[in-house]
Amino acid sequence: MTDRPGLAAHDITVSYGRHTVLDRVSLRVEPGETVGLRGPSGCGKSTLLRVLALLHRPDHGHVTLDGVAVTGARHTVPATTRIRIGVLFQNPRSAADPRLSLTDLIAEPLRAMHRPPDAVATRVAELAEATGLTTDLLRRQPHAVSDGQLQRACLARALAHHPDYLLCDEATTMLDASTQAHVAAVITDHQHRHNTGVILVTHDPALIHRWAHRIIDWPPTGT
Amino acid sequence: MTPTLAVDGLSVRFRLRDATVHAVTDLSLTLHRGELLAVVGESGCGKSVLAHAVLGLLPANATVTGTATLHPDGAPPVQLIGAGERQLRTLRGRYIGLVPQSPATSLTPVRTGRALLTETLRVHGRLPANADQVAEEAGLDPHDLDRYPFELSGGMAQRLATALALAPDPGVLLADEPTAGLDRPLVDHTLDLLRRRCDAGTAVLLITHDLTAARRVADTVAVMYASRIAEHRPADDLFAAPSHPYTAALLDALPDRAFRPIPGHPPMLTALPPGCPFAPRCTQADDACTALPTTTHGTACHHPLTPAGAA
Amino acid sequence: MAELTARRPLVRLRPGTRGAVLAASVLAAAILACLLVPLVWPLDESAVALNQINQPPSWAHPAGTDDLGRDVAHRTLYGLRVSLLVGAVAALVAALIGGAVGAIAGTVGGWTDRILMRIVDTVAALPHLLLGIFIVAMLRPSLGAVILSIGLTHWLSTARIVRAELLSLRTRPFIDAAVSGGASRWRVYTRHLLPHVLPRMALATTLMVPHAVWHETALSFLGLGLPPHLASLGNMINDGQRSLLTGAWWASLTPGAAIVVVTLAVAALAAHWRDRLDPRVRAELQL
């Protein structure tokens, strides 16, 4: 298990008070593969994704990135490690700061890592083109764009740092068929170029069969 | 057969500070007893506004033109657009019901489900004792009726909202994205419930962006694009052989078909082009498309894919 | 074909916009008067005119004179200056204290949060005017003591508001997205959380100004506030009491009315601002 590439959760247990959300759950995603995670809502899938994204420290168990244990409370994990894992959430409205324009939204991860302004501008333009966002749309704030356009901006943001892994939590459930297909195409393209590992949480059987290389039913216990 | 609901030439515009939003433009459709019409389209195309316009629930900066005539059972026809608030209040609930989009915001948080349901039943002249029965039909365990809305999960709240809409047994039911954010089994249950109501005689207008849901239960489908109806045909015909290029492209985007996105993006409702709104993204477009197409055989297109008159 | 505007609003837009305009005009007039008075009509605080005691309102003295012959209207304007100034500064001090406490409680959480909130509850249980009197009595009565007294008793609501806002924002996905994108803790606080908290804090501070003015007035009325010869509204109401028995109602009523009108205007504007801040009222229409 040492130095094997991949993002893996090992025996993760998370409880809130007496309520156990995750009980010794394990999951692994390899570079370049798309893992579909299937199961009813409210059973802990979102919590597992947050643990894998290094946003939440589990009560027991640990997360390994390429064989190295990386668990910690949010800010004790170095930013250079955190940015290797991107997250895409279900509801773009609550995943986007309503005060920022789409440009600032997408540029935020780059600015947080102190990239020089011209590098930021170039990368934002690249991402906008990849996700089909025009300059006119980029200037707007979230309330002035549709859900589909906003989710594409969130996707651009998640891909800003060329993450090695992308975790999608019901990311296309609120989208129409065309936007969903577009989001899938952009993620797949990124995957081909950068060998990205993708975890896809969804309850749409057609989507999971079409998009995932490997399907896991909840709860996942194997590594 | 007289339609239960007849919408003719409906247009809704919103005045914003520096622009006008054309949410619905020149929309006409009919809904009959026992028919389930699904209005599908991407988010932002105006379909929710249609439901709110019919119910008279639009904000003050909305301008509505056109007619929407309701033909209730055993009562004279009523013109909904422009009807006074008092008249609309007698119609809402009893004759037209609404299953709203986000139940969390439409349930009174300080009353239990049972209190809300029995009140609804009593106001509309039905026996309050039926509360358990109505809840069960909507898939809600009667024990959960004694909880407050914040104690219910998203799915249970949606079932409660559905039960509240069904309780007065209206002749026309508008369902605005009733399955958004729900698990597949609950989506199917809600759709089947609407279908059962439909078979029992209710006219149902289902607004959704989920094509699979429409395919499951709809009798007819109206595809909306940029505030207009692009195609309005029987469901089986539409899914088997779509006539409008937008419908065909939308079906192609489904994961169980080509999973191919439509290039480009829809026009903003504040800046609709003069001709066919889909022309910039359409593979069939030519110079004729700079003029608005007329609707023939349910399709608003200069170059329909299926020859006119064919299935 | 009926062309008309739909009558029933889906969202109740702020009622009484006219009221807010009225309140704004009143407040603007009051502030303007306060600013101009020392330039146009300066007051000698210690001047008395013992030959004009307790004159009823007349053309020469629109609000009459008090029991030392001083023009009531003139002193009311000066008093308003002091009261508004003290009120504003004290509200700011309270906001800073409350903001700091709320921010620590909301971000650190855990035991720190619990302890801080119990402190808030304890202070809230004490009658704040008594506490204010206690504080002033500990220090020598002066402008600074008054400001501190108000500041230390009025920080509670700001603390609760800031803490609540932070707790609700911390779990939103957009904060997760920022952390995932590499934002440091400092950046999350300053770029993502603070901009959302500040508007509410500013509103709470504005809502506190009337309270601060009242508190100062009460302290001065009790003789624990500003030095008695200074024209502060509280002092004037206190002094005017003595004249009430002889029927000179104008000495107390004029400063009293000034407080009421100005604080109502501030409160009305703040309420209007609060309604506008409500995201549901403000949201653009979702189609």
Side-chain angles (χ1 to χ4, degrees):
Chain A
M1 198 155 70
T2 49
D3 286 296
R4 240 181 90 191
L7 174 68
H10 304 271
D11 284 339
I12 301 288
T13 302
V14 173
S15 317
Y16 293 116
R18 253 178 292 168
H19 179 49
T20 308
V21 177
L22 294 174
D23 190 13
R24 301 181 64 84
V25 162
S26 299
L27 179 69
R28 155 172 229 99
V29 58
E30 309 274 344
E33 78 164 334
T34 305
V35 174
L37 192 53
R38 180 167 58 186
S41 59
C43 59
K45 299 197 300 262
S46 294
T47 312
L48 178 62
L49 284 196
R50 288 186 76 230
V51 168
L52 278 169
L54 310 176
L55 295 169
H56 184 102
R57 194 217 294 252
D59 300 318
H60 296 287
H62 60 284
V63 174
T64 57
L65 185 58
D66 296 341
V68 179
V70 289
T71 326
R74 289 147 77 114
H75 292 281
T76 61
V77 177
T80 43
T81 309
R82 291 206 303 269
I83 62 174
R84 291 181 59 191
I85 307 167
V87 198
L88 196 56
F89 300 93
Q90 175 175 0
N91 186 348
R93 298 274 158 211
S94 56
D97 188 333
R99 301 167 313 115
L100 299 177
S101 68
L102 295 197
T103 311
D104 290 332
L105 185 90
I106 301 172
E108 173 54 26
L110 300 161
R111 292 184 186 143
M113 296 300 286
H114 310 294
R115 302 271 188 263
D118 38 350
V120 171
T122 319
R123 183 78 185 124
V124 170
E126 272 172 24
L127 289 164
E129 200 188 322
T131 50
L133 295 167
T134 59
T135 10
D136 174 53
L137 283 175
L138 286 177
R139 270 199 295 264
R140 295 165 189 249
Q141 290 183 307
H143 66 78
V145 301
S146 71
D147 286 356
Q149 289 157 345
L150 190 58
Q151 186 67 311
R152 277 187 273 169
C154 291
L155 175 61
R157 174 180 64 182
L159 296 177
H161 285 296
H162 296 291
D164 296 323
Y165 300 94
L166 184 65
L167 312 179
C168 303
D169 190 0
E170 303 275 7
T172 58
T173 311
M174 292 179 62
L175 306 176
D176 62 274
S178 175
T179 312
Q180 174 174 267
H182 186 85
V183 164
V186 172
I187 295 176
T188 311
D189 184 67
H190 190 273
Q191 189 174 42
H192 288 152
R193 286 199 224 186
H194 301 277
N195 213 25
T196 316
V198 176
I199 297 183
L200 176 71
V201 170
T202 179
H203 49 64
D204 183 345
L207 185 70
I208 210 172
H209 279 287
R210 184 60 182 254
W211 195 358
H213 298 132
R214 182 158 64 97
I215 299 177
I216 300 181
D217 281 305
W218 189 268
T221 44
T223 304
Chain B
M1 182 169 62
T2 323
T4 310
L5 180 67
V7 178
D8 190 31
L10 183 71
S11 290
V12 181
R13 289 192 303 281
F14 293 98
R15 286 185 314 276
L16 297 182
R17 229 175 315 145
D18 49 358
T20 310
V21 178
H22 298 265
V24 178
T25 307
D26 208 19
L27 190 143
S28 304
L29 57 79
T30 54
L31 188 65
H32 297 84
R33 228 158 256 101
E35 174 189 354
L36 197 151
L37 166 64
V39 177
V40 300
E42 43 205 312
S43 61
C45 72
K47 42 193 207 302
S48 270
V49 175
L50 169 61
H52 287 101
V54 165
L55 285 164
L57 291 175
L58 293 175
N61 63 338
T63 310
V64 188
T65 52
T67 61
T69 316
L70 177 71
H71 297 262
D73 257 337
V78 182
Q79 179 49 245
L80 293 171
I81 309 296
E85 180 61 22
R86 212 178 316 162
Q87 188 179 23
L88 283 171
R89 223 176 293 196
T90 62
L91 298 169
R92 286 189 205 121
R94 175 173 279 158
Y95 294 102
I96 317 185
L98 175 71
V99 181
Q101 187 163 2
S102 46
T105 50
S106 60
L107 294 172
T108 313
V110 292
R111 310 195 65 199
T112 61
R114 188 178 295 279
L116 291 171
L117 198 47
T118 46
E119 178 188 351
T120 309
L121 287 168
R122 194 179 34 240
V123 164
H124 289 105
R126 287 185 201 272
L127 290 174
N130 286 339
D132 281 358
Q133 194 183 345
V134 175
E136 266 174 17
E137 193 189 347
L140 193 64
D141 187 342
H143 291 298
D144 291 330
L145 275 182
D146 296 310
R147 296 184 190 220
Y148 287 91
F150 68 87
E151 293 172 318
L152 300 173
S153 73
M156 293 198 285
Q158 182 63 325
R159 274 175 271 183
L160 179 60
T162 311
L164 286 170
L166 293 177
D169 200 14
V172 177
L173 193 61
L174 307 179
D176 186 4
E177 301 273 12
T179 57
L182 299 180
D183 288 342
R184 202 86 239 159
L186 190 54
V187 168
D188 292 340
H189 174 96
T190 310
L191 293 173
D192 292 341
L193 170 63
L194 291 173
R195 182 73 246 176
R196 277 202 304 276
R197 274 297 167 127
C198 199
D199 293 335
T202 311
V204 176
L205 184 79
L206 172 67
I207 296 171
T208 180
H209 68 255
D210 185 351
L211 286 167
T212 321
R215 193 163 46 183
R216 187 186 172 93
V217 291
D219 295 315
T220 39
V221 176
V223 179
M224 268 188 85
Y225 184 78
S227 80
R228 293 176 187 274
I229 292 190
E231 187 168 354
H232 179 183
R233 288 168 66 215
D236 293 336
D237 298 341
L238 186 137
F239 286 112
S243 176
H244 197 287
Y246 173 60
T247 316
L250 203 57
L251 289 173
D252 243 10
L254 287 173
D256 49 352
R257 297 210 189 182
F259 206 28
R260 184 174 36 230
I262 309 176
H265 55 86
M268 298 299 293
L269 295 179
T270 46
L272 293 175
C276 173
F278 188 60
R281 304 164 83 186
C282 184
T283 47
Q284 318 277 94
D286 64 10
D287 289 332
C289 302
T290 51
L292 264 180
T294 51
T295 307
T296 44
H297 298 276
T299 308
C301 182
H302 292 293
H303 310 286
L305 299 173
T306 313
Chain C
M1 294 278 163
E3 176 153 16
L4 46 65
T5 314
R7 267 170 242 181
R8 184 175 175 276
L10 182 66
V11 162
R12 288 235 159 70
L13 297 178
R14 47 202 182 273
T17 315
R18 258 180 296 171
V21 170
L22 179 66
S25 331
V26 166
L27 196 59
I31 292 178
L32 200 61
C34 289
L35 289 175
L36 289 180
V37 136
L39 306 169
V40 168
W41 192 13
L43 175 71
D44 179 3
E45 303 266 4
S46 16
V48 299
L50 294 171
N51 58 337
Q52 288 180 46
I53 297 175
N54 288 336
Q55 303 271 313
S58 63
W59 282 115
H61 300 285
T65 60
D66 65 7
D67 62 346
L68 289 179
R70 300 174 289 195
D71 183 290
V72 171
H74 198 188
R75 286 178 63 87
T76 303
L77 280 176
Y78 260 79
L80 201 56
R81 280 185 75 210
V82 173
S83 295
L84 281 178
L85 192 66
V86 171
V89 172
L92 263 168
V93 169
L96 284 173
I97 299 175
V101 172
I104 296 172
T107 51
V108 175
W111 276 105
T112 316
D113 176 25
R114 288 191 201 125
I115 293 173
L116 283 174
M117 283 303 107
R118 296 297 81 77
I119 294 176
V120 168
D121 290 340
T122 311
V123 177
L126 303 170
H128 68 86
L129 192 56
L130 282 183
L131 186 60
I133 292 172
F134 182 72
I135 293 171
V136 170
M138 296 278 289
L139 317 161
R140 246 175 322 124
S142 67
L143 195 61
V146 169
I147 290 177
L148 204 59
S149 159
I150 299 172
L152 287 174
T153 48
H154 285 75
W155 58 271
L156 304 168
S157 56
T158 311
R160 286 195 178 130
I161 289 171
V162 168
R163 173 183 174 271
E165 189 74 10
L166 284 175
L167 284 180
S168 115
L169 286 174
R170 268 175 69 199
T171 54
R172 297 257 182 94
F174 79 85
I175 297 295
D176 277 345
V179 175
S180 177
S184 65
R185 203 196 291 265
W186 177 253
R187 194 181 175 88
V188 170
Y189 292 158
T190 53
R191 292 275 185 142
H192 295 278
L193 290 174
L194 198 62
H196 282 101
V197 168
L198 277 180
R200 275 189 211 281
M201 240 182 93
L203 176 62
T205 310
T206 312
L207 278 167
M208 231 190 299
V209 170
H211 289 276
V213 171
W214 278 97
H215 192 111
E216 180 274 320
T217 306
L219 285 177
S220 297
F221 180 77
L222 293 170
L224 291 168
L226 300 172
H229 70 279
L230 281 185
S232 112
L233 296 178
N235 282 341
M236 292 177 67
I237 297 177
N238 189 12
D239 294 341
Q241 282 191 98
R242 296 195 286 272
S243 323
L244 275 177
L245 286 173
T246 59
W249 48 267
W250 50 89
S252 284
L253 185 75
T254 316
I259 297 184
V260 169
V261 167
V262 169
T263 54
L264 274 181
V266 173
L269 276 179
H272 177 76
W273 180 8
R274 181 199 59 216
D275 288 343
R276 286 195 61 198
L277 204 58
D278 182 348
R280 290 232 271 140
V281 175
R282 207 190 52 200
E284 303 278 317
L285 195 71
Q286 303 268 25
L287 296 171

